[in-house]
Amino acid sequence: MVLQTHISLSHLLLIASLLSAAVSAATTISPGSSLSAANPTITWSSPNDTFSLGFIPSDPPTSPPSYIAATSYSGGVPVWSAGAGKAVDSGGTLQFLPSGTLRLVNGSGATLWDSNTTSRGVSSAEIDDLGNLVLRNGTVTVWSSFDNPTDSIVPGQNFTVSKVLRSGLYSFKLVKNGNLTLLWNDSTVYWNQGLNSSVNTNLSSPTLGLRSIGILSISDPQLSTDAIVAYSSDYAEAGDILRFLKLGSDGNLRIYSSSRGSGTVTERWAAVTDQCEVYGYCGDMGVCSYNDTDPVCGCMSLNFELVDPKDSRKGCKRKMEIKDCPQSVIMLDLEHTRFLSYPPETDSPIFFFSAGILTCRLNCLGSSACDALTSLSDGTGLCYTKTPGFLSGYHSPAMSSSSYIKVCGPVIPNPSSSLGTAGNKKNWKLRRWIVVVVVFATVFGLMAFEGGLWWWFCRNSRSFGGLSAQYALLEYASGAPVQFSYTELQRSMKGFKEKLGAGGFGAVYKGILANRTVVAVKQLEGIEQGEKQFRMEVATISSTHHLNLVRLIGFCSEGRHRLLVYEFMKNGSLDSFLFATEEQSGKLLNWESRFHVALGTARGITYLHEECRDCIVHCDIKPENILLDENYNAKVSDFGLAKLVNPKDHRYRTLTSVRGTRGYLAPEWLANLPITSKSDVYSYGMVLLEIVSGRRNFEVSEATNRKKFSLWAFEEFEKGNIKGIVDRRLVDQDVDMDQVKRAIQVTFWCIQEQPSHRPMMGKVVQMLEGITDIENPPDPRAVIEGSAGGTSMTVSSNVNPLSTAAESAPAPSSFSSFQSSGVSPLTSGRNTEKATASLIQSDPN
Ligand SMILES: *[C@@H]1O[C@H](CO)[C@@H](O)[C@H](O)[C@H]1NC(C)=O
Ligand SMILES: *[C@@H]1O[C@H](CO)[C@@H](O)[C@H](O)[C@H]1NC(C)=O
Ligand SMILES: *[C@@H]1O[C@H](CO)[C@@H](O)[C@H](O)[C@H]1NC(C)=O
Ligand SMILES: *[C@@H]1O[C@H](CO)[C@@H](O)[C@H](O)[C@H]1NC(C)=O
Ligand SMILES: *[C@@H]1O[C@H](CO)[C@@H](O)[C@H](O)[C@H]1NC(C)=O
Ligand SMILES: *[C@@H]1O[C@H](CO)[C@@H](O)[C@H](O)[C@H]1NC(C)=O
Ligand SMILES: *[C@@H]1O[C@H](CO)[C@@H](O)[C@H](O)[C@H]1NC(C)=O
Ligand SMILES: *[C@@H]1O[C@H](CO)[C@@H](O)[C@H](O)[C@H]1NC(C)=O
Ligand SMILES: *[C@@H]1O[C@H](CO)[C@@H](O)[C@H](O)[C@H]1NC(C)=O
Ligand SMILES: *[C@@H]1O[C@H](CO)[C@@H](O)[C@H](O)[C@H]1NC(C)=O
């Protein structure tokens, strides 16, 4: 399940229909009342029916049926439960006893949970419109469900340091210093997020809260303004929506939203972007990997079996324990696999060897204190041993690490799987090694000989250095990427002195090559890819040439160092022009330049999507990635990098840049739907709006009625107030209002929620140029949330209803409303699919 909602649709529908028929009880619950699982239609409701407390069928359904006593949001979305989800049979009751205590009792009469408020003078109970169940002595609150949370936090609820959310072995806590942590078994911290580093105070009593508009923030008496932790992807959007934070049984912390009465929930934010990085997700000795869409759990080889064949998440066990092994114990090789450890091996003084993997394996085999090991293949040659105990594995074809675990021989590899295969390939491997060594020795011998000759002939030549530079220039001119050595680049950058910026993929420095070419050198971070893949990607990027794309000159790949050398753009990135403050207004771009930039950017992206040989989905289009040369031509940068960085997540969703770039991400990123070139179109639309308005699309201010700027702009556009959207700083300049109108219309077509409603990039260019007429765009977010699966379906009155059905088909029919204008604004869907394939299927193996 992508969304891990734990609410089955059929149940929700059932509850929803039951609720509507339910007899609403009085607001105040008096001692002596009770609820019965046999009669789930009777509930205790809040004054305006927003929340209600009652029995709901447990999820997943059981046979015979069992029930939990839960507080649910209108529509049947549970946000609190008595006894943290303890299930009762149909004879179960929830009793508010005259003694003032609230008690969950099983059909057998056993007490499963008690609020322990006997003899504390409780005289009444109530559930309020925020969803808080309160037990009171007069007006004094004795106990409340907000102070005793289970796995969720709703707006209005204060989550403080002493509180904890739990789900199975997982828990979520707020630390006194303001850090948020996710823990496994109360010991392993697998997610830890500190406050924004600009917050430089020691907190005294931090409180975590979720604002109803979807912002998760920490408040503290020491902070003048709340420190924001996360935004839900639909934050500040209007509507009768409940947003809530929930720790799932899969160990991930998410923000969901649910429209009133719908009973469905949609994921809006997740703490751990790569589910396989949740510690213990697949249980002890289980290995997490991805099928095309979802994380799946399995065992390392057939020497292991699932603890519970019905639930692969329970982990694996050895078929034969090591201590009982009659044969010899051997090491199972697991390529592309890592045993997770938190903090990561490289950050912690975990026991390691540096004697080479062979010695390391032998050592482990001979020691009962070693069960397994991981070699990160990071060029350090270190291997990290694991003591017997819980092991949590992660396998991905793109991961360079290898792992080894003791098994009772012989190794029986998994059928048709890339996991655990080495045993019977050993001989073959050995032979391959010999061949490789012989070939290398020969090649090196020849090279040394040739080099020797060359040096002998050239040592007296004064032009030695110049020759090398000329050779590099020749290579540059021929279009092939030049390979630089690390020392050479270090020298050209004067030891990383002049930093130009820090993008999502790493810091960028200015450098001057031996031939006086000024370059921008990007020092990539988080590359887990092997040398070969890296070179292949570099070749692809550097073979992509277009006037509106930043040109890659060369690269460096040495040990852990991966650097890319780009042509230098004199005028820097677009954001510094768009969002320049008053003092820097010398940097303001006039309308003509802006339109030129918008068009250039669109042409560059069109080339990436539709015209070049290996189509590329950029994945991170934003003003920071649009550079301007000395003539203010737009050049798109950072294309092709999404594939390079963090390939271990095959969906390329864990990009560091993506984490930070809210506002430009298409909704499908957060809904875990396929990323296609249409996702770039969405980001482009947002950038285009910013080019017109000079304001960030996600900005919320009084001037925009506390709405996201993009939403506000659409309302103004509907009202015909185009002038109100245009950058105020252009007010006394010559602005071509026809161009502005086209740009704004294109924006709203580009940011349609449904990818199939967005035009192809080539069509965007034509629309901007005025070659194609533009129909009035429908409301970009005319959305009715879809099924419990979380997929959003758009049903908009302005869009032909057929278009939703055409979602997976090539797009033309989705723009049938355009055909009235005589020209279809769409090229065929073929290119979209091509571009998708290059991103999604580019499994480096
Ligand atoms: C509740 O009672 C049923 C039978 O009456 C029993 O099977 C079940 O285990 C009990 N549940 C708990 C949590 O005690
Ligand atoms: C109530 O008290 C019992 C017995 O002391 C304890 O086991 C239980 O955890 C308490 N319940 C709550 C909700 O604190
Ligand atoms: C209930 O509240 C009253 C008035 O505030 C107080 O006098 C009484 O002691 C309380 N009862 C208990 C059991 O705390
Ligand atoms: C119910 O009450 C809450 C809190 O007062 C309020 O935020 C919400 O809008 C109300 N809902 C309806 C449908 O009246
Ligand atoms: C949460 O904290 C705020 C500010 O301290 C307070 O006004 C509010 O009443 C608290 N809410 C609850 C439910 O305790
Ligand atoms: C969780 O921790 C406890 C003690 O800290 C330990 O006894 C238990 O085995 C651990 N659970 C798992 C599944 O490892
Ligand atoms: C808080 O989190 C940050 C990471 O965001 C980490 O560097 C820091 O060590 C954490 N502090 C504590 C006390 O865990
Ligand atoms: C930290 O806060 C500053 C100012 O409030 C903000 O500009 C910056 O974007 C924040 N950084 C992060 C990583 O959220
Ligand atoms: C926070 O507390 C530490 C240790 O008590 C102290 O060294 C530091 O100066 C404090 N920082 C601020 C900003 O008060
Ligand atoms: C991936 O696994 C999930 C859950 O096990 C399953 O529902 C889905 O169909 C699988 N997808 C593919 C393409 O095998």
Side-chain angles (χ1 to χ4, degrees):
M1 278 292 296
V2 177
L3 287 180
Q4 304 288 348
T5 55
H6 308 289
I7 304 155
S8 98
L9 182 60
S10 57
H11 277 141
L12 289 174
L13 290 178
L14 178 73
I15 298 156
S17 58
L18 291 179
L19 278 180
S20 55
V23 195
S24 240
T27 313
T28 311
I29 308 153
S30 38
S33 330
S34 72
L35 293 172
S36 151
N39 197 356
T41 54
I42 307 285
T43 60
W44 293 330
S45 301
S46 70
N48 69 11
D49 276 337
T50 307
F51 288 91
S52 62
L53 175 62
F55 281 98
I56 60 172
S58 50
D59 181 57
T62 54
S63 157
S66 58
Y67 303 85
I68 59 173
T71 301
S72 305
Y73 176 63
S74 164
V77 176
V79 294
W80 179 85
S81 60
K86 283 202 179 123
V88 297
D89 52 15
S90 57
T93 49
L94 182 69
Q95 304 168 356
F96 181 37
L97 299 175
S99 65
T101 199
L102 196 63
R103 186 175 283 176
L104 180 68
V105 181
N106 198 356
S108 61
T111 299
L112 300 187
W113 174 82
D114 195 313
S115 65
N116 292 350
T117 46
T118 315
S119 73
R120 289 183 61 189
V122 173
S123 54
S124 70
E126 189 197 27
I127 172 159
D128 68 21
D129 281 331
L130 295 174
N132 195 9
L133 173 65
V134 193
L135 305 184
R136 288 200 181 95
N137 169 9
T139 54
V140 180
T141 299
V142 173
W143 180 97
S144 76
S145 65
F146 274 12
D147 284 334
N148 294 272
T150 51
D151 61 1
S152 305
I153 299 172
V154 295
Q157 186 168 355
N158 294 332
F159 188 77
T160 52
V161 169
S162 56
K163 305 207 165 77
V164 58
L165 299 186
R166 284 188 190 280
S167 192
L169 279 175
Y170 297 104
S171 54
F172 168 69
K173 280 180 189 156
L174 170 65
V175 185
K176 178 137 193 315
N177 67 1
N179 273 19
L180 299 174
T181 58
L182 285 172
L183 291 97
W184 175 85
N185 200 20
D186 283 323
S187 52
T188 306
V189 177
Y190 58 92
W191 183 75
N192 187 354
Q193 179 166 313
L195 289 178
N196 183 336
S197 51
S198 71
V199 177
N200 187 25
T201 41
N202 291 332
L203 305 186
S204 57
S205 56
T207 303
L208 179 76
L210 180 66
R211 292 187 218 156
S212 58
I213 59 168
I215 293 175
L216 189 64
S217 60
I218 291 179
S219 57
D220 187 89
Q222 306 297 319
L223 293 175
S224 50
T225 56
D226 291 2
I228 292 177
V229 176
Y231 293 84
S232 75
S233 62
D234 67 340
Y235 85 97
E237 277 178 20
D240 207 347
I241 298 170
L242 173 78
R243 296 175 177 94
F244 63 101
L245 184 73
K246 178 171 175 166
L247 176 62
S249 61
D250 63 355
N252 214 336
L253 182 73
R254 297 186 176 86
I255 297 176
Y256 295 97
S257 61
S258 173
S259 301
R260 190 187 186 86
S262 70
T264 61
V265 295
T266 308
E267 179 185 335
R268 298 301 188 177
W269 174 80
V272 185
T273 33
D274 186 344
Q275 182 60 39
C276 278
E277 285 186 352
V278 170
Y279 194 75
Y281 175 68
C282 287
D284 190 15
M285 288 197 276
V287 181
C288 183
S289 58
Y290 285 92
N291 65 9
D292 281 345
T293 49
D294 297 302
V296 287
C297 294
C299 295
M300 292 176 258
S301 74
L302 290 185
N303 301 65
F304 298 82
E305 64 190 355
L306 289 174
V307 170
D308 177 357
K310 286 200 218 73
D311 184 0
S312 59
R313 282 201 47 211
K314 293 254 163 69
C316 302
K317 58 174 194 268
R318 291 191 158 90
K319 286 181 181 162
M320 178 64 80
E321 287 303 324
I322 296 299
K323 61 177 174 13
D324 307 326
C325 184
Q327 300 107 322
S328 56
V329 173
I330 57 174
M331 280 304 216
L332 166 66
D333 291 17
L334 300 163
E335 288 177 353
H336 309 296
T337 304
R338 201 153 53 98
F339 290 119
L340 295 178
S341 99
Y342 293 99
E345 282 93 349
T346 43
D347 293 359
S348 58
I350 288 179
F351 190 52
F352 62 80
F353 288 99
S354 56
I357 196 66
L358 217 60
T359 326
C360 193
R361 288 171 53 141
L362 282 175
N363 248 316
C364 187
L365 273 176
S367 154
S368 61
C370 174
D371 214 12
L373 39 109
T374 286
S375 155
L376 296 183
S377 307
D378 57 357
T380 59
L382 298 180
C383 92
Y384 301 86
T385 61
K386 309 278 167 186
T387 49
F390 194 91
L391 283 177
S392 177
Y394 183 0
H395 167 84
S396 158
M399 196 182 292
S400 56
S401 318
S402 300
S403 291
Y404 309 86
I405 186 168
K406 277 181 185 172
V407 292
C408 183
V411 165
I412 319 161
N414 280 337
S416 70
S417 150
S418 46
L419 276 176
T421 47
N424 21 8
K425 281 193 188 164
K426 265 220 175 98
N427 279 335
W428 182 79
K429 248 192 165 171
L430 193 67
R431 256 180 270 147
R432 195 172 61 171
W433 261 109
I434 293 172
V435 172
V436 167
V437 168
V438 168
V439 167
F440 263 86
T442 316
V443 168
F444 270 114
L446 278 174
M447 268 166 49
F449 178 67
E450 229 175 294
L453 277 184
W454 193 59
W455 178 79
W456 194 76
F457 281 117
C458 293
R459 82 193 137 141
N460 293 327
S461 157
R462 268 180 299 129
S463 63
F464 186 85
L467 200 67
S468 149
Q470 264 170 25
Y471 176 65
L473 201 63
L474 204 69
E475 254 189 295
Y476 174 36
S478 76
V482 183
Q483 180 168 9
F484 295 95
S485 74
Y486 187 64
T487 41
E488 196 176 344
L489 285 184
Q490 221 170 6
R491 208 180 316 125
S492 83
M493 291 184 288
K494 303 200 178 68
F496 299 97
K497 263 217 195 89
E498 201 174 335
K499 193 165 175 177
L500 295 173
F505 302 99
V508 184
Y509 301 90
K510 188 171 175 179
I512 300 173
L513 296 183
N515 63 11
R516 304 274 108 210
T517 316
V518 185
V519 292
V521 180
K522 188 178 278 276
Q523 191 172 30
L524 295 176
E525 281 158 12
I527 299 280
E528 278 216 13
Q529 227 166 10
E531 176 86 16
K532 198 172 135 218
Q533 259 76 45
F534 179 75
R535 279 166 190 271
M536 273 163 52
E537 299 305 343
V538 164
T540 309
I541 294 172
S542 70
S543 69
T544 309
H545 299 291
H546 188 272
L547 178 68
N548 296 111
L549 296 177
V550 175
R551 169 111 186 244
L552 181 73
I553 294 174
F555 68 101
C556 163
S557 172
E558 264 178 38
R560 306 182 74 159
H561 301 296
R562 299 272 196 279
L563 297 97
L564 295 177
V565 181
Y566 288 100
E567 58 178 335
F568 177 73
M569 288 297 133
K570 196 152 164 277
N571 275 316
S573 57
L574 179 59
D575 58 314
S576 65
F577 290 92
L578 292 184
F579 315 119
T581 55
E582 295 296 334
E583 305 90 70
Q584 307 159 312
S585 49
K587 286 192 90 183
L588 199 64
L589 284 180
N590 64 19
W591 173 252
E592 197 187 339
S593 312
R594 287 189 195 210
F595 195 70
H596 181 65
V597 165
L599 208 48
T601 307
R603 288 195 181 117
I605 304 171
T606 306
Y607 184 77
L608 289 178
H609 286 179
E610 301 170 25
E611 289 157 18
C612 68
R613 204 161 23 114
D614 300 304
C615 285
I616 295 174
V617 179
H618 188 295
C619 295
D620 197 15
I621 290 174
K622 54 181 175 181
E624 287 76 0
N625 281 338
I626 296 165
L627 306 183
L628 303 180
D629 71 4
E630 62 273 25
N631 300 320
Y632 295 93
N633 290 312
K635 305 222 176 199
V636 179
S637 81
D638 276 11
F639 56 90
L641 296 190
K643 267 206 296 194
L644 267 180
V645 177
N646 252 326
K648 66 180 178 223
D649 179 1
H650 74 298
R651 300 162 304 163
Y652 306 109
R653 281 171 205 273
T654 44
L655 316 179
T656 27
S657 62
V658 162
R659 276 196 191 128
T661 324
R662 68 192 154 86
Y664 303 94
L665 289 184
E668 54 267 26
W669 276 98
L670 293 129
N672 271 349
L673 295 172
I675 302 307
T676 67
S677 56
K678 290 292 183 69
S679 314
D680 281 353
V681 174
Y682 181 94
S683 312
Y684 174 77
M686 285 302 188
V687 172
L688 184 57
L689 181 63
E690 296 179 340
I691 291 176
V692 173
S693 66
R695 277 173 277 179
R696 290 279 191 189
N697 71 70
F698 47 81
E699 201 176 277
V700 176
S701 68
E702 293 303 336
T704 61
N705 295 333
R706 307 219 61 78
K707 288 183 180 138
K708 261 190 264 189
F709 179 74
S710 53
L711 300 180
W712 176 85
F714 183 73
E715 288 173 10
E716 294 305 304
F717 168 73
E718 291 262 86
K719 290 186 210 152
N721 178 19
I722 288 180
K723 277 218 170 71
I725 304 173
V726 179
D727 196 333
R728 275 174 247 126
R729 292 166 295 181
L730 298 180
V731 90
D732 29 67
Q733 292 189 14
D734 202 12
V735 176
D736 180 338
M737 285 314 283
D738 273 351
Q739 284 179 348
V740 169
K741 184 169 180 212
R742 281 208 300 276
I744 291 178
Q745 283 175 318
V746 168
T747 286
F748 295 124
W749 274 115
C750 289
I751 63 172
Q752 291 292 314
E753 172 124 352
Q754 193 71 296
S756 65
H757 295 166
R758 301 174 204 148
M760 303 278 299
M761 223 43 222
K763 193 52 60 178
V764 166
V765 172
Q766 293 181 13
M767 286 154 109
L768 283 175
E769 284 172 333
I771 298 175
T772 310
D773 286 341
I774 313 173
E775 197 90 338
N776 241 6
D779 190 339
R781 56 178 180 109
V783 170
I784 294 169
E785 299 297 356
S787 67
T791 342
S792 297
M793 294 250 285
T794 304
V795 182
S796 154
S797 54
N798 291 9
V799 176
N800 186 325
L802 279 176
S803 58
T804 42
E807 172 55 3
S808 57
S813 63
S814 60
F815 267 84
S816 46
S817 59
F818 264 94
Q819 276 151 16
S820 56
S821 65
V823 194
S824 162
L826 282 166
T827 56
S828 99
R830 182 179 49 86
N831 282 318
T832 327
E833 264 139 41
K834 210 161 122 203
T836 314
S838 97
L839 177 74
I840 304 293
Q841 298 175 356
S842 60
D843 185 332
N845 265 19

